[in-house]
Amino acid sequence: MKALVLAGGTGSRLRPFTHTGAKQLLPIANRPVLFHALDSLAAAGIREVGVVVGSHGREIRELTGDGTEFGLRITYVQQSRPLGLAHAVRIARDFLGDDDFLLYLGDNYLPQGVTDFVRLAAADAAAARLLLTPVADPSAFGVAEVDAEGNVLRLEEKPDTPRSALALIGVYAFSPAVHEAVRAIAPSARGELEITHALQWMVDQGLRVRAETTTRPWRDTGSAEDMLEVNRHVLDGLEGRIEGKVDAHSTLIGRVRVAEGAVVRGSRVVGPVVIGAGAVVSNSSVGPYTSIGEDCRVEDSAVEYSVLLRGARIEGASRIEASLIGRGAVVAPAPRLPRAHRLVIGDHSKVYLTP
């Protein structure tokens, strides 16, 4: 089985970060979201992966390479603009050939991985297989209606009145039959080739479309809040390791990873925390579930439950929490301005101003 990973979306909910970089490269525990997805595919035994890229394709290619780091062989597929999941399958036809394949959204995070799902797809042949999870607001997702045996009956894309609470979470297994389906459908009202429409076409043609339901944690890292929550999940599995320098005036509590080249001095760090190479934490307090990227600076500050991207600086901040700080960003105290008093004073009044 091959895999097709989608990494070409615009990431509108993560602006302004995605104006200057791919959302799939935003870090989770100092490692790009996309890398966690590739690790998951390799662990499932998949070796050939196509990565669909868009406007930030060059950056993704440079960081991800040919896949050797992950034990994979990566082929890149350029998408001119994000025209839907089914469009990505269309343009990847040469790479996919007539092989079964896994379709995976590159900004998804599944801590349990996809090994079990891939095994089920291999053991029980179907034209398509979906991974579903119950959600509180299914109108924000593609939704599947499933019978008692796990057969998919109907699919809808972000319906106003959902027929079920089972949402598609961006993991699909397909047989080559999907290629006829993506050629048969027309763009939706929003101008995209929807994978839900291709799946519904398969159902309408009498092809076997199966569903697997999971209640295990899953996140679409499409917002700052989701990024912070996924970072928390990953850091929960962190193993502490000190490779950088920690001076005698610092205290490290719990699972803390200090990368080679990082420096911690005069600070208190309560894990789980990861501090990237070249970062300096000085006279500061770093609380749990914080990832400090490479070459960051945290000075005279308190930070907790936050993600700092490469080169960010926090100086003199009394408390920063639940924050996502971009690359090269600076957070520092504003200069103290002179006080000004605006007065409307009646005749013969007396006003005493404190200095």
Side-chain angles (χ1 to χ4, degrees), residues 64-83:
T64 310
D66 63 2
T68 302
E69 174 186 343
F70 311 94
L72 302 170
R73 294 185 298 277
I74 293 179
T75 299
Y76 293 95
V77 179
Q78 186 70 42
Q79 188 177 36
S80 57
R81 51 196 183 99
L83 295 173

PDB file of all heavy atoms in Angstrom, residues 64-83:
ATOM      1  N   THR A  64      11.885  18.178   4.320  1.00  0.00           N
ATOM      2  CA  THR A  64      11.469  16.771   4.382  1.00  0.00           C
ATOM      3  C   THR A  64      12.391  15.870   3.576  1.00  0.00           C
ATOM      4  O   THR A  64      12.591  14.704   3.931  1.00  0.00           O
ATOM      5  CB  THR A  64      10.010  16.641   3.888  1.00  0.00           C
ATOM      6  OG1 THR A  64       9.195  17.601   4.574  1.00  0.00           O
ATOM      7  CG2 THR A  64       9.464  15.257   4.164  1.00  0.00           C
ATOM      8  N   GLY A  65      12.925  16.395   2.491  1.00  0.00           N
ATOM      9  CA  GLY A  65      13.878  15.623   1.691  1.00  0.00           C
ATOM     10  C   GLY A  65      13.229  14.462   0.961  1.00  0.00           C
ATOM     11  O   GLY A  65      12.034  14.469   0.663  1.00  0.00           O
ATOM     12  N   ASP A  66      14.040  13.437   0.697  1.00  0.00           N
ATOM     13  CA  ASP A  66      13.547  12.301  -0.094  1.00  0.00           C
ATOM     14  C   ASP A  66      12.886  11.223   0.752  1.00  0.00           C
ATOM     15  O   ASP A  66      12.481  10.185   0.232  1.00  0.00           O
ATOM     16  CB  ASP A  66      14.686  11.694  -0.911  1.00  0.00           C
ATOM     17  CG  ASP A  66      15.796  11.111  -0.033  1.00  0.00           C
ATOM     18  OD1 ASP A  66      15.680  11.133   1.216  1.00  0.00           O
ATOM     19  OD2 ASP A  66      16.805  10.637  -0.602  1.00  0.00           O
ATOM     20  N   GLY A  67      12.769  11.470   2.062  1.00  0.00           N
ATOM     21  CA  GLY A  67      12.096  10.520   2.949  1.00  0.00           C
ATOM     22  C   GLY A  67      13.014   9.566   3.678  1.00  0.00           C
ATOM     23  O   GLY A  67      12.566   8.791   4.535  1.00  0.00           O
ATOM     24  N   THR A  68      14.316   9.605   3.380  1.00  0.00           N
ATOM     25  CA  THR A  68      15.254   8.671   4.007  1.00  0.00           C
ATOM     26  C   THR A  68      15.205   8.763   5.526  1.00  0.00           C
ATOM     27  O   THR A  68      15.275   7.741   6.224  1.00  0.00           O
ATOM     28  CB  THR A  68      16.687   8.949   3.498  1.00  0.00           C
ATOM     29  OG1 THR A  68      16.714   8.824   2.077  1.00  0.00           O
ATOM     30  CG2 THR A  68      17.665   7.975   4.122  1.00  0.00           C
ATOM     31  N   GLU A  69      15.093   9.972   6.042  1.00  0.00           N
ATOM     32  CA  GLU A  69      15.061  10.173   7.498  1.00  0.00           C
ATOM     33  C   GLU A  69      13.934   9.388   8.156  1.00  0.00           C
ATOM     34  O   GLU A  69      14.028   8.987   9.328  1.00  0.00           O
ATOM     35  CB  GLU A  69      14.890  11.668   7.796  1.00  0.00           C
ATOM     36  CG  GLU A  69      14.696  12.007   9.263  1.00  0.00           C
ATOM     37  CD  GLU A  69      14.384  13.473   9.495  1.00  0.00           C
ATOM     38  OE1 GLU A  69      14.623  14.297   8.586  1.00  0.00           O
ATOM     39  OE2 GLU A  69      13.878  13.807  10.591  1.00  0.00           O
ATOM     40  N   PHE A  70      12.855   9.142   7.409  1.00  0.00           N
ATOM     41  CA  PHE A  70      11.678   8.469   7.963  1.00  0.00           C
ATOM     42  C   PHE A  70      11.592   7.001   7.543  1.00  0.00           C
ATOM     43  O   PHE A  70      10.635   6.318   7.918  1.00  0.00           O
ATOM     44  CB  PHE A  70      10.412   9.193   7.507  1.00  0.00           C
ATOM     45  CG  PHE A  70      10.455  10.676   7.700  1.00  0.00           C
ATOM     46  CD1 PHE A  70      10.862  11.522   6.670  1.00  0.00           C
ATOM     47  CD2 PHE A  70      10.120  11.247   8.919  1.00  0.00           C
ATOM     48  CE1 PHE A  70      10.929  12.891   6.838  1.00  0.00           C
ATOM     49  CE2 PHE A  70      10.185  12.612   9.109  1.00  0.00           C
ATOM     50  CZ  PHE A  70      10.587  13.441   8.063  1.00  0.00           C
ATOM     51  N   GLY A  71      12.541   6.547   6.753  1.00  0.00           N
ATOM     52  CA  GLY A  71      12.454   5.198   6.208  1.00  0.00           C
ATOM     53  C   GLY A  71      11.446   5.107   5.076  1.00  0.00           C
ATOM     54  O   GLY A  71      10.857   4.044   4.835  1.00  0.00           O
ATOM     55  N   LEU A  72      11.264   6.212   4.352  1.00  0.00           N
ATOM     56  CA  LEU A  72      10.272   6.284   3.279  1.00  0.00           C
ATOM     57  C   LEU A  72      10.932   6.715   1.973  1.00  0.00           C
ATOM     58  O   LEU A  72      12.036   7.266   1.967  1.00  0.00           O
ATOM     59  CB  LEU A  72       9.180   7.298   3.639  1.00  0.00           C
ATOM     60  CG  LEU A  72       8.400   7.069   4.933  1.00  0.00           C
ATOM     61  CD1 LEU A  72       7.545   8.295   5.250  1.00  0.00           C
ATOM     62  CD2 LEU A  72       7.532   5.824   4.843  1.00  0.00           C
ATOM     63  N   ARG A  73      10.215   6.504   0.868  1.00  0.00           N
ATOM     64  CA  ARG A  73      10.581   7.057  -0.430  1.00  0.00           C
ATOM     65  C   ARG A  73       9.494   8.063  -0.806  1.00  0.00           C
ATOM     66  O   ARG A  73       8.345   7.682  -1.062  1.00  0.00           O
ATOM     67  CB  ARG A  73      10.689   5.960  -1.491  1.00  0.00           C
ATOM     68  CG  ARG A  73      11.827   4.981  -1.240  1.00  0.00           C
ATOM     69  CD  ARG A  73      11.975   3.987  -2.393  1.00  0.00           C
ATOM     70  NE  ARG A  73      10.789   3.165  -2.563  1.00  0.00           N
ATOM     71  CZ  ARG A  73      10.537   2.049  -1.853  1.00  0.00           C
ATOM     72  NH1 ARG A  73      11.393   1.644  -0.932  1.00  0.00           N
ATOM     73  NH2 ARG A  73       9.443   1.358  -2.072  1.00  0.00           N
ATOM     74  N   ILE A  74       9.864   9.328  -0.835  1.00  0.00           N
ATOM     75  CA  ILE A  74       8.875  10.386  -1.041  1.00  0.00           C
ATOM     76  C   ILE A  74       8.934  10.924  -2.469  1.00  0.00           C
ATOM     77  O   ILE A  74      10.001  11.227  -2.991  1.00  0.00           O
ATOM     78  CB  ILE A  74       9.086  11.540  -0.036  1.00  0.00           C
ATOM     79  CG1 ILE A  74       8.765  11.054   1.388  1.00  0.00           C
ATOM     80  CG2 ILE A  74       8.222  12.741  -0.394  1.00  0.00           C
ATOM     81  CD1 ILE A  74       8.958  12.115   2.448  1.00  0.00           C
ATOM     82  N   THR A  75       7.749  11.022  -3.062  1.00  0.00           N
ATOM     83  CA  THR A  75       7.568  11.671  -4.363  1.00  0.00           C
ATOM     84  C   THR A  75       6.686  12.897  -4.135  1.00  0.00           C
ATOM     85  O   THR A  75       5.643  12.807  -3.466  1.00  0.00           O
ATOM     86  CB  THR A  75       6.877  10.725  -5.363  1.00  0.00           C
ATOM     87  OG1 THR A  75       7.702   9.575  -5.558  1.00  0.00           O
ATOM     88  CG2 THR A  75       6.627  11.410  -6.692  1.00  0.00           C
ATOM     89  N   TYR A  76       7.094  14.034  -4.666  1.00  0.00           N
ATOM     90  CA  TYR A  76       6.312  15.260  -4.486  1.00  0.00           C
ATOM     91  C   TYR A  76       5.400  15.498  -5.682  1.00  0.00           C
ATOM     92  O   TYR A  76       5.798  15.311  -6.836  1.00  0.00           O
ATOM     93  CB  TYR A  76       7.236  16.460  -4.266  1.00  0.00           C
ATOM     94  CG  TYR A  76       7.981  16.373  -2.951  1.00  0.00           C
ATOM     95  CD1 TYR A  76       9.267  15.841  -2.892  1.00  0.00           C
ATOM     96  CD2 TYR A  76       7.385  16.793  -1.764  1.00  0.00           C
ATOM     97  CE1 TYR A  76       9.943  15.735  -1.690  1.00  0.00           C
ATOM     98  CE2 TYR A  76       8.056  16.693  -0.559  1.00  0.00           C
ATOM     99  CZ  TYR A  76       9.330  16.160  -0.528  1.00  0.00           C
ATOM    100  OH  TYR A  76       9.987  16.047   0.671  1.00  0.00           O
ATOM    101  N   VAL A  77       4.174  15.924  -5.386  1.00  0.00           N
ATOM    102  CA  VAL A  77       3.171  16.218  -6.416  1.00  0.00           C
ATOM    103  C   VAL A  77       2.754  17.669  -6.232  1.00  0.00           C
ATOM    104  O   VAL A  77       2.229  18.039  -5.169  1.00  0.00           O
ATOM    105  CB  VAL A  77       1.947  15.284  -6.286  1.00  0.00           C
ATOM    106  CG1 VAL A  77       0.910  15.616  -7.348  1.00  0.00           C
ATOM    107  CG2 VAL A  77       2.367  13.822  -6.368  1.00  0.00           C
ATOM    108  N   GLN A  78       2.988  18.504  -7.226  1.00  0.00           N
ATOM    109  CA  GLN A  78       2.678  19.931  -7.113  1.00  0.00           C
ATOM    110  C   GLN A  78       1.224  20.196  -7.466  1.00  0.00           C
ATOM    111  O   GLN A  78       0.728  19.760  -8.506  1.00  0.00           O
ATOM    112  CB  GLN A  78       3.586  20.738  -8.040  1.00  0.00           C
ATOM    113  CG  GLN A  78       3.435  22.243  -7.893  1.00  0.00           C
ATOM    114  CD  GLN A  78       3.974  22.763  -6.568  1.00  0.00           C
ATOM    115  OE1 GLN A  78       5.038  22.339  -6.104  1.00  0.00           O
ATOM    116  NE2 GLN A  78       3.232  23.679  -5.944  1.00  0.00           N
ATOM    117  N   GLN A  79       0.531  20.909  -6.577  1.00  0.00           N
ATOM    118  CA  GLN A  79      -0.858  21.307  -6.796  1.00  0.00           C
ATOM    119  C   GLN A  79      -0.887  22.823  -6.962  1.00  0.00           C
ATOM    120  O   GLN A  79      -0.425  23.563  -6.075  1.00  0.00           O
ATOM    121  CB  GLN A  79      -1.733  20.871  -5.625  1.00  0.00           C
ATOM    122  CG  GLN A  79      -3.221  21.059  -5.833  1.00  0.00           C
ATOM    123  CD  GLN A  79      -4.036  20.545  -4.651  1.00  0.00           C
ATOM    124  OE1 GLN A  79      -3.617  20.665  -3.498  1.00  0.00           O
ATOM    125  NE2 GLN A  79      -5.197  19.975  -4.922  1.00  0.00           N
ATOM    126  N   SER A  80      -1.407  23.307  -8.077  1.00  0.00           N
ATOM    127  CA  SER A  80      -1.369  24.745  -8.366  1.00  0.00           C
ATOM    128  C   SER A  80      -2.108  25.552  -7.307  1.00  0.00           C
ATOM    129  O   SER A  80      -1.667  26.623  -6.895  1.00  0.00           O
ATOM    130  CB  SER A  80      -1.962  25.020  -9.745  1.00  0.00           C
ATOM    131  OG  SER A  80      -3.294  24.530  -9.829  1.00  0.00           O
ATOM    132  N   ARG A  81      -3.226  25.062  -6.871  1.00  0.00           N
ATOM    133  CA  ARG A  81      -3.956  25.663  -5.752  1.00  0.00           C
ATOM    134  C   ARG A  81      -4.863  24.605  -5.146  1.00  0.00           C
ATOM    135  O   ARG A  81      -5.212  23.618  -5.808  1.00  0.00           O
ATOM    136  CB  ARG A  81      -4.755  26.897  -6.165  1.00  0.00           C
ATOM    137  CG  ARG A  81      -5.644  26.764  -7.337  1.00  0.00           C
ATOM    138  CD  ARG A  81      -6.063  28.112  -7.879  1.00  0.00           C
ATOM    139  NE  ARG A  81      -6.986  27.983  -8.993  1.00  0.00           N
ATOM    140  CZ  ARG A  81      -8.301  28.111  -8.892  1.00  0.00           C
ATOM    141  NH1 ARG A  81      -8.851  28.392  -7.727  1.00  0.00           N
ATOM    142  NH2 ARG A  81      -9.074  27.966  -9.947  1.00  0.00           N
ATOM    143  N   PRO A  82      -5.236  24.770  -3.873  1.00  0.00           N
ATOM    144  CA  PRO A  82      -6.022  23.728  -3.199  1.00  0.00           C
ATOM    145  C   PRO A  82      -7.451  23.663  -3.720  1.00  0.00           C
ATOM    146  O   PRO A  82      -8.285  24.493  -3.366  1.00  0.00           O
ATOM    147  CB  PRO A  82      -5.977  24.164  -1.723  1.00  0.00           C
ATOM    148  CG  PRO A  82      -5.702  25.627  -1.758  1.00  0.00           C
ATOM    149  CD  PRO A  82      -4.873  25.874  -2.972  1.00  0.00           C
ATOM    150  N   LEU A  83      -7.728  22.671  -4.543  1.00  0.00           N
ATOM    151  CA  LEU A  83      -9.036  22.531  -5.184  1.00  0.00           C
ATOM    152  C   LEU A  83      -9.797  21.315  -4.674  1.00  0.00           C
ATOM    153  O   LEU A  83     -10.671  20.799  -5.356  1.00  0.00           O
ATOM    154  CB  LEU A  83      -8.853  22.442  -6.700  1.00  0.00           C
ATOM    155  CG  LEU A  83      -8.286  23.705  -7.364  1.00  0.00           C
ATOM    156  CD1 LEU A  83      -7.987  23.449  -8.832  1.00  0.00           C
ATOM    157  CD2 LEU A  83      -9.261  24.868  -7.208  1.00  0.00           C
TER     158      LEU A  83
END
